[in-house]
C-alpha cells in the first residue's frame, strides 16, 4: 500500500474518531441523554477496531508457529 | 393436488428428479427456472398449516408463517443465484444433487413437525455430499466421507431426541422447546452440529473448500442457515446459546486469518457470523429474532458473493491459496470490485450487513449483556480484517508471491452475472432506500432505524481503525505470512492421535484374531489326527484282533466297573 493511500486512511480514521467523540460529547453534555445502553456511553470503537486488527494478525502468526504444518502435515 | 399446491421445496426436489433424464441445455434452464417458479409459488402461498396423520402422530407437513417465509425467500434467491453461477457446468450429478439439496433445505424451514423436519434434514445431508464428491479428487472424497459421517451423526442425535421427545410429551410438533431433559438436549445437539457449534464445527472448514467451485457456493448458503432457523424455531431465549454463540464468533477469528486456503478462510468467517446469530437466538427478544432473520438473509447474500468471487479466482487461476496469489487486480478488475462489495457488506454502511448485524448488537445491548456486546463488537471488527480485508488484498493487491501474477483465463459470463446480481442485492438490501424492504418481511413488528448519525459514524470509526491496523501490519512486513502450510484445527485430535489409537487397536485385534484363528485350526487338526490315529484306516480301532483278545479286554472293563461300583 502506497504512502498516499495509507495516509488517506489514517486521516479518515482519525476524522471519524474525532467526529464520534464530538457526537458523544454533544449527546452527553448538551442533550443530557439518558445513557441507558452501552452503545451510547462506550466510545472506544476506534480502539476496538485497531486492537482487533492487531490481535487477530498477531494471533494468526502465533497460531501458525504453534500448529502450522507444512503441506498439511498429513492432516 | 396441482403443482401450485406442492409444499415449498418440493418444486426443486421434483425438478431434480426430472433433471436426471434431461440433457445439459434443458437442465440449466431447470436450474434457474425451478427457483423462480418456487419463489413465485411462495409469494402466493397463504399462511397455512397442513396436517396429516402418520402412525398415530399428528404431523404438520407444511407450516408457512412469518419466520419460515424469511428463510424461504432467501433460500430461493440463493438457489437462483447459485443456479446462474453453476449453469455452465455440464455435470448431471452436481445438477441433481444441487436441486435436491436446495429443495430439502427449503423443506426443513417449512416443516411444522419434527418427523417431517428429520426427513428433510437427512435428505440435505445425503444430497449435499455429492457436491463435494463431484470434485472427483482423493481429498474431496475423504473430506466428503468425513462430512457425511458428521451430518449423519447430527441426524442420529436428532432422531434419538425426537423419539424421546415423542415418548415424553406425546407430540412431535416443532415449536419452542425447553432444555428440560435428555430429549431436548439431543435435539439441540443435532441442530448444533449443523450450526457448527464450537468443537462440532470442524466439518465446515474441512468440507466446504473441497467442494466444486459452484458446489461450495451452494453449500455455503443452506446447511448452516437452515440449522440457525431450527434453533430460532426450537430454542429462542435459551440462555446457554448466548455463550455458545460468543465462542463461535471469537475462536474462528485467528484461524481465518492464519489460513492459506481462502475458501477455508471464508468458511471460518462464516462460522463467526453464525456465532452472531446464535447469540441473538439466545437473547430471544423480538428484536433479536428479527436480527437473526435479517442477518441470515444478508449473510447468505454477501457470503455467497465472496465464495463466488474466490471461486471465480480459483476457476481462472487454478488456485485459491494466498501463497500462490497476489497482483491479480489488472487481470480481473470486475471480480475484484465485486469481491470488495462482498467484503464491505460484512459491516460497512450502505451494504447488507450494516442493517442486519446492528439489530443483533442492539438486541444484546438492550438485554444489558455488556460483556457479550463488547466481545461481539471485537469480533465484528476482527472478521472484517480476517476476511473483508484479507481476501481482496491477498488476491488482487498483494505483491505476487511468485514474482509475476498467475495467468488468469476468462470465466464464463454466467459466473460474472451471478456475482453482479449478488452484489446488487448486497447494496440494495443495505442501502438507506432498500433496507425497509428487508425489515418488512421480518417476523416481528419493530421500530428500528439503522441509519442514524451515531450508528454510521461509530461503524465507520470501527472499520477505518481496523483497516488502519491491518495495513500498518502489511507495511511493516508482518503480513502476509502464509507459506503454503496448513493450519490444524481441533479435528486434528480425531484425525491424527485418535486415528492412530484406532489403527493400533485395529492392528492389535487383527493380530489377536489371526492368533486365535491359527490356534483353533491347530486344535482342529490335532483332534482330526487323534481321531485318525484311533478310528482311521490305520488306527487302533481298525486293527484286526482275535476274539479271545476282545473277550479279555471286555472282562478287564467289566472288572474295572465292578471295582468302581464296590468301592
Amino acid at each position: 500500500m502506497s504512502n498516499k493511500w495509507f495516509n488517506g486512511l489514517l486521516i479518515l480514521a482519525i476524522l471519524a474518531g474525532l467526529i464520534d467523540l464530538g457526537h458523544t460529547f454533544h449527546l452527553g453534555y448538551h442533550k443530557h441523554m439518558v445513557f441507558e445502553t452501552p452503545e451510547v456511553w462506550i466510545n472506544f470503537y476506534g480502539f476496538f477496531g485497531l486492537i482487533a486488527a492487531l490481535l487477530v494478525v498477531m494471533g494468526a502468526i502465533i497460531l501458525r508457529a504453534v500448529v502450522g504444518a507444512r503441506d498439511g502435515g498429513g492432516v | 393436488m396441482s403443482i401450485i399446491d406442492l409444499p415449498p421445496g418440493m418444486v426443486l426436489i421434483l425438478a431434480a428428479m426430472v433433471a436426471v433424464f434431461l440433457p445439459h441445455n434443458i437442465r440449466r434452464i431447470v436450474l434457474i427456472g425451478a427457483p423462480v417458479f418456487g419463489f413465485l409459488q411462495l409469494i402466493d402461498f397463504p399462511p397455512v398449516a397442513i396436517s396429516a396423520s402418520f402412525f398415530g402422530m399428528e404431523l404438520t407437513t407444511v407450516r408457512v408463517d412469518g419466520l419460515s417465509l424469511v428463510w424461504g425467500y432467501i433460500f430461493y434467491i440463493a438457489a437462483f443465484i447459485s443456479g446462474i453461477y453453476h449453469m455452465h457446468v455440464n455435470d448431471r450429478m452436481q445438477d441433481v444433487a444441487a436441486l435436491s439439496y436446495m429443495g430439502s433445505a427449503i423443506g426443513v424451514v417449512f416443516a411444522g413437525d419434527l418427523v417431517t423436519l428429520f426427513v428433510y434434514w437427512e435428505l440435505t445431508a445425503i444430497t449435499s455430499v455429492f457436491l463435494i464428491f463431484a470434485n472427483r479428487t482423493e481429498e474431496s472424497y475423504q473430506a466428503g466421507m468425513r462430512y457425511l459421517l458428521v451430518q449423519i451423526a447430527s441426524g442420529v442425535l436428532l432422531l434419538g431426541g425426537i423419539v424421546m421427545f415423542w415418548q415424553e410429551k406425546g407430540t412431535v410438533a416443532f415449536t419452542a422447546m425447553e432444555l428440560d431433559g435428555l430429549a431436548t438436549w439431543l435435539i439441540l445437539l443435532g441442530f448444533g452440529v449443523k450450526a457448527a457449534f464450537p468443537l462440532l464445527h470442524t466439518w465446515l472448514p474441512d468440507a466446504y473448500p473441497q467442494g466444486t467451485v459452484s458446489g461450495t457456493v451452494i453449500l455455503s448458503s443452506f446447511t448452516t442457515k437452515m440449522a440457525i432457523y431450527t434453533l430460532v424455531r426450537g430454542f429462542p431465549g435459551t440462555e446457554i446459546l448466548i455463550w455458545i454463540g460468543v465462542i463461535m464468533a471469537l475462536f474462528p477469528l485467528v484461524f481465518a486469518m492464519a489460513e492459506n486456503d481462502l475458501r477455508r478462510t471464508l468458511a471460518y468467517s462464516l462460522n463467526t457470523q453464525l456465532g452472531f446469530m446464535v447469540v441473538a437466538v439466545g437473547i430471544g427478544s423480538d428484536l433479536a429474532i428479527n436480527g437473526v432473520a435479517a442477518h441470515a438473509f444478508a449473510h447468505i447474500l454477501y457470503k455467497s458473493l465472496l465464495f463466488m468471487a474466490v471461486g471465480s479466482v480459483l476457476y481462472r487461476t487454478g488456485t485459491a491459496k494466498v501463497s500462490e496469489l497476489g497482483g491479480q487486480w489488472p487481470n480481473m478488475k470486475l471480480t475484484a470490485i465485486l469481491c470488495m462489495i462482498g467484503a464491505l457488506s460484512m459491516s460497512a454502511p450502505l451494504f447488507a450487513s450494516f442493517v442486519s448485524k446492528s439489530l443483533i448488537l442492539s438486541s444484546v445491548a438492550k438485554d444489558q449483556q455488556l460483556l457479550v456486546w463488547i466481545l461481539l463488537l471485537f469480533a465484528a471488527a476482527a472478521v472484517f480484517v480476517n476476511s473483508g480485508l484479507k481476501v481482496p488484498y491477498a488476491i488482487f493487491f498483494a505483491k505476487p508471491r511468485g514474482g509475476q501474477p498467475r495467468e488468469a483465463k476468462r470465466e464464463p459470463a454466467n459466473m460474472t452475472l451471478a456475482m453482479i446480481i449478488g452484489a446488487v442485492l448486497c447494496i440494495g438490501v443495505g442501502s438507506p432506500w432498500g433496507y425497509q424492504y428487508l425489515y418488512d418481511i421480518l417476523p416481528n413488528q419493530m421500530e428500528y432505524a439503522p441509519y442514524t448519525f451515531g450508528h454510521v459514524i461509530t461503524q465507520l470509526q470501527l472499520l477505518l481503525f481496523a483497516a488502519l491496523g491491518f495495513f500498518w501490519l502489511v507495511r511493516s512486513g508482518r503480513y502476509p505470512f502464509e507459506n503454503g502450510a496448513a493450519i490444524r484445527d481441533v479435528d486434528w485430535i480425531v484425525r491424527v492421535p485418535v486415528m492412530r489409537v484406532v489403527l493400533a487397536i485395529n492392528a492389535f485385534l487383527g493380530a489377536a484374531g489371526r492368533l486365535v484363528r491359527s490356534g483353533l485350526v491347530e486344535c482342529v487338526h490335532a483332534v482330526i489326527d487323534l481321531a485318525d490315529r484311533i478310528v482311521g484306516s490305520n488306527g487302533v480301532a481298525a486293527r484286526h484282533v482275535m476274539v479271545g483278545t476282545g473277550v479279555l479286554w471286555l472282562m478287564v472293563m467289566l472288572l474295572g466297573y465292578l471295582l468302581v461300583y464296590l468301592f
Side-chain angles (χ1 to χ4, degrees):
Chain A
M1 178 178 242
S2 69
N3 281 340
K4 187 176 71 178
W5 281 97
F6 186 77
N7 291 338
L9 182 65
L10 181 67
I11 291 166
L12 274 178
I14 291 173
L15 202 61
L18 288 174
I19 292 172
D20 195 17
L21 266 178
H23 183 241
T24 306
F25 180 80
H26 173 71
L27 288 179
Y29 291 92
H30 292 281
K31 289 201 169 180
H32 302 289
M33 191 166 172
V34 179
F35 293 175
E36 57 189 12
T37 70
E39 267 184 298
V40 176
W41 56 262
I42 288 187
N43 201 174
F44 297 125
Y45 288 88
F47 174 77
F48 269 103
L50 198 60
I51 291 296
L54 298 179
L55 281 184
V56 81
V57 174
M58 292 305 170
I61 290 170
I62 294 167
L63 184 73
R64 292 193 74 83
V66 175
V67 298
R70 186 162 285 282
D71 300 327
V75 181
Chain B
M1 178 186 277
S2 72
I3 196 163
I4 303 292
D5 301 323
L6 283 172
M10 195 54 78
V11 174
L12 296 187
I13 294 173
L14 285 177
M17 291 175 180
V18 174
V20 172
F21 306 103
L22 297 176
H24 179 228
N25 279 343
I26 302 179
R27 271 206 318 275
R28 54 188 185 181
I29 294 171
V30 171
L31 262 174
I32 54 173
V36 171
F37 183 83
F39 186 82
L40 295 175
Q41 182 211 20
L42 197 58
I43 287 175
D44 279 342
F45 221 100
V48 71
I50 300 173
S51 299
S53 191
F54 179 75
F55 286 105
M57 289 181 283
E58 281 301 312
L59 305 185
T60 308
T61 52
V62 177
R63 171 182 48 200
V64 180
D65 62 8
L67 187 63
S68 52
L69 275 174
V70 180
W71 265 264
Y73 290 143
I74 188 58
F75 276 0
Y76 274 122
I77 292 170
F80 175 68
I81 295 174
S82 308
I84 293 177
Y85 189 76
H86 171 79
M87 64 191 290
H88 65 282
V89 179
N90 184 3
D91 183 348
R92 195 180 304 273
M93 181 170 88
Q94 278 195 72
D95 296 347
V96 173
L99 282 167
S100 47
Y101 166 55
M102 296 186 292
S104 309
I106 292 168
V108 165
V109 301
F110 289 101
D113 67 83
L114 292 165
V115 175
T116 308
L117 173 89
F118 173 76
V119 172
Y120 283 122
W121 191 264
E122 286 301 87
L123 269 176
T124 60
I126 295 162
T127 50
S128 59
V129 74
F130 288 97
L131 295 172
I132 302 167
F133 287 153
N135 223 358
R136 297 179 173 88
T137 63
E138 181 61 25
E139 290 81 14
S140 66
Y141 172 74
Q142 289 181 358
M145 290 307 290
R146 290 192 294 271
Y147 170 85
L148 190 60
L149 275 175
V150 173
Q151 301 297 311
I152 296 295
S154 158
V156 171
L157 288 168
L158 182 59
L159 182 62
I162 291 170
V163 171
M164 292 173 71
F165 187 82
W166 184 43
Q167 283 181 333
E168 286 173 16
K169 313 279 183 186
T171 176
V172 288
F174 183 31
T175 53
M177 293 174 261
E178 296 284 335
L179 276 180
D180 55 1
L182 183 60
T184 45
W185 272 103
L186 286 176
I187 292 172
L188 178 66
L189 266 179
F191 293 163
V193 171
K194 286 205 186 192
F197 278 7
L199 302 182
L200 306 175
H201 70 282
T202 52
W203 62 270
L204 184 59
D206 181 29
Y208 281 13
Q210 295 299 337
T212 59
V213 168
S214 48
T216 300
V217 173
I218 296 167
L219 285 168
S220 73
S221 297
F222 291 91
T223 300
T224 50
K225 256 64 75 183
M226 173 188 87
I228 293 293
Y229 166 82
T230 57
L231 289 173
V232 177
R233 180 68 77 181
F235 298 97
T238 304
E239 284 191 15
I240 192 173
L241 291 176
I242 295 175
W243 284 101
I244 290 176
V246 169
I247 297 168
M248 283 172 77
L250 290 177
F251 86 84
L253 293 171
V254 174
F255 282 95
M257 193 75 221
E259 254 307 325
N260 187 37
D261 186 329
L262 287 173
R263 294 205 293 178
R264 274 176 73 93
T265 291
L266 290 179
Y268 278 116
S269 160
L270 192 157
N271 208 338
T272 291
Q273 302 294 349
L274 295 174
F276 280 86
M277 297 178 216
V278 172
V279 168
V281 176
I283 299 287
S285 62
D286 283 358
L287 184 63
I289 298 304
N290 276 355
V292 184
H295 198 48
F297 195 101
H299 183 247
I300 287 173
L301 289 177
Y302 75 77
K303 190 62 75 181
S304 63
L305 175 56
L306 283 168
F307 269 111
M308 283 192 284
V310 172
S312 169
V313 172
L314 174 61
Y315 178 88
R316 297 177 68 176
T317 65
T319 185
K321 292 186 172 159
V322 178
S323 58
E324 297 165 5
L325 284 166
Q328 290 294 339
W329 167 254
N331 292 339
M332 38 180 103
K333 287 181 181 167
L334 181 57
T335 307
I337 291 167
L338 296 169
C339 181
M340 283 189 283
I341 290 174
L344 288 169
S345 296
M346 285 183 171
S347 307
L350 301 180
F351 296 92
S353 191
F354 179 76
V355 300
S356 61
K357 201 182 283 178
S358 56
L359 288 174
I360 292 177
L361 285 168
S362 294
S363 71
V364 173
K366 286 210 165 76
D367 202 50
Q368 301 294 321
Q369 302 269 1
L370 178 60
L371 180 59
V372 175
W373 183 83
I374 289 172
L375 293 173
L376 289 187
L377 196 65
F378 175 83
V383 79
F384 177 66
V385 172
N386 72 18
S387 41
L389 293 175
K390 172 185 168 173
V391 171
Y393 175 77
I395 299 170
F396 305 109
F397 304 110
K399 282 182 185 163
R401 292 299 184 89
Q404 291 293 318
R406 290 172 76 94
E407 283 192 24
K409 63 179 180 182
R410 291 179 67 83
E411 70 185 1
N414 59 293
M415 290 174 80
T416 315
L417 177 64
M419 287 191 283
I420 291 172
I421 294 171
V424 167
L425 286 173
C426 281
I427 297 170
V429 163
S431 72
W433 310 277
Y435 75 86
Q436 197 57 49
Y437 292 105
L438 172 61
Y439 284 7
D440 285 346
I441 61 166
L442 297 180
N444 301 312
Q445 291 289 324
M446 65 170 185
E447 292 291 326
Y448 189 84
Y451 279 99
T452 61
F453 180 78
H455 186 207
V456 172
I457 198 68
T458 49
Q459 195 66 14
L460 279 176
Q461 188 190 355
L462 182 80
L463 301 182
L464 286 168
F465 271 94
L468 196 64
F470 176 77
F471 286 113
W472 177 74
L473 288 164
V474 168
R475 285 164 62 89
S476 65
R478 291 178 176 82
Y479 182 82
F481 44 74
E482 292 85 354
N483 58 2
I487 294 297
R488 294 163 174 167
D489 200 335
V490 291
D491 62 341
W492 176 83
I493 297 168
V494 176
R495 290 165 63 178
V496 180
V498 172
M499 188 52 77
R500 278 182 193 152
V501 171
V502 169
L503 290 176
I505 292 172
N506 193 34
F508 171 76
L509 291 177
R514 281 192 296 278
L515 203 64
V516 169
R517 274 199 302 277
S518 64
L520 278 174
V521 168
E522 281 177 17
C523 280
V524 170
H525 279 302
V527 170
I528 292 170
D529 286 347
L530 184 65
D532 189 52
R533 280 201 295 274
I534 295 170
V535 296
S537 56
N538 297 320
V540 177
R543 286 181 197 157
H544 295 284
V545 291
M546 301 293 290
V547 175
T549 310
V551 171
L552 178 65
W553 278 110
L554 188 62
M555 283 179 64
V556 169
M557 282 174 66
L558 286 172
L559 187 62
Y561 173 75
L562 186 64
L563 288 172
V564 169
Y565 178 77
L566 288 175
F567 301 104

